[in-house]
Amino acid sequence: MTGRLDFGPALLFCPGDRPDRFGKALGRADAVILDLEDGVASADRPAAREAVTAFARELSEADPDAVRRVIVRVNSADTDDFAEDLGCLRGTPFGTVMLAKTASVDQVARLAEQLDGIRIIALCETAAGVLAAPEIARHPSVVGLMWGAEDLVVSLGGSSSRRDDGSYRDVARFARSAVLLAAAVARADAIDAVHVDLDDLVGLGEEAADAVASGFAATACLHPAQVAVVRAAYRPTAQRIDWARRLLAAAELAPGAFRFEGGMVDEPLLAQAGAVLRQAERAGAVE
């Protein structure tokens, strides 16, 4: 089942105990991540599971096509909540699950065995998960990898993922790159981490622009206001689209390496131009 996600680029988290927000979140983002883990207090998780199950029934009747744009984040495989989360998902049409704090491919295999046919996004947000990302990504049920900075730093015994200027510390940058590389090798999609400073939309835009330029397929959001910023970052500009089209057109008349607008062009640049047009098409920026 190894493959790609068919939605993005803005994935919006929504607490599982706030069913009043489920439909709104799904309507505002490219996909919604219904959270049964950190976004819900332990005592409220039974009610959250009931809410997710009820939403599955409602959505199946009201908008069956939208079901595919729902992701459910379940608790890590080494918790008691894990089995309860999977129990609530059995029999629902939801086909994509995000496994929190994925630490090994064995945990992914356990999830895949218990939910037949499920598509898994492995959240590699601990030291163990980041180092195991290449093996995790190769599991046939994994369609995506996501990384997370805050839990990663906790797993290291640290206290902050960012420097005073807002930039990621080196270990977080390493984890981000490691997860991206592991996903690419396995032909799975990579999802960039949430930007926890909700007021810093400029910083979010810069990180999202770097994410798409680096090869991430999507960025996770914590607030609806972040969605438009992420979408804009993943949408190539008209100038960039025009450049890609002209470059590929010129390549049809010049086999091999050739000069184009003052620079030398070979296969890697042509591949990048093709990626720009695919991004544009996915974002609805081309006719």
Side-chain angles (χ1 to χ4, degrees), residues 230-244:
V230 169
R231 283 175 170 167
Y234 276 79
R235 185 184 303 114
T237 64
Q239 293 80 2
R240 186 70 170 163
I241 295 170
D242 180 62
W243 166 84

Side-chain angles (χ1 to χ4, degrees), residues 6 28 85 97 110 118 121 130 146 159 172 203 207 213 226 229 245 252 257 259 284 287:
D6 54 358
R28 293 178 179 178
D85 292 346
V97 168
R110 284 176 53 197
I118 200 70
I121 298 171
V130 170
M146 180 174 160
S159 59
E207 287 184 2
Q226 296 180 324
V229 177
R245 284 173 169 164
E252 294 180 359
R259 185 182 178 90
E287 297 180 355

Side-chain angles (χ1 to χ4, degrees), residues 83-109:
E84 298 295 330
D85 292 346
L86 268 55
C88 97
L89 291 176
R90 291 191 184 94
T92 72
F94 295 147
T96 308
V97 168
M98 178 180 288
L99 178 59
K101 298 179 179 66
T102 306
S104 70
V105 71
D106 291 340
Q107 293 180 343
V108 170

Side-chain angles (χ1 to χ4, degrees), residues 19 32 44 76 87 113 123 130 137 176 183 190 200-202 208 250 253 269 275 285:
V32 64
D44 296 330
S76 58
E113 288 171 1
L123 183 43
V130 170
R176 183 177 188 251
D200 181 25
L201 296 181
V202 172
L253 304 176
L269 275 179

Side-chain angles (χ1 to χ4, degrees), residues 139-173:
H139 190 281
S141 293
V142 170
V143 295
L145 294 184
M146 180 174 160
W147 79 288
E150 309 314 319
D151 281 301
L152 171 65
V153 169
V154 170
S155 77
L156 297 170
S159 59
S160 174
S161 67
R162 295 181 185 266
R163 299 185 177 90
D164 291 341
D165 64 0
S167 63
Y168 277 124
R169 298 188 186 278
D170 289 347
V171 69
R173 294 175 61 191

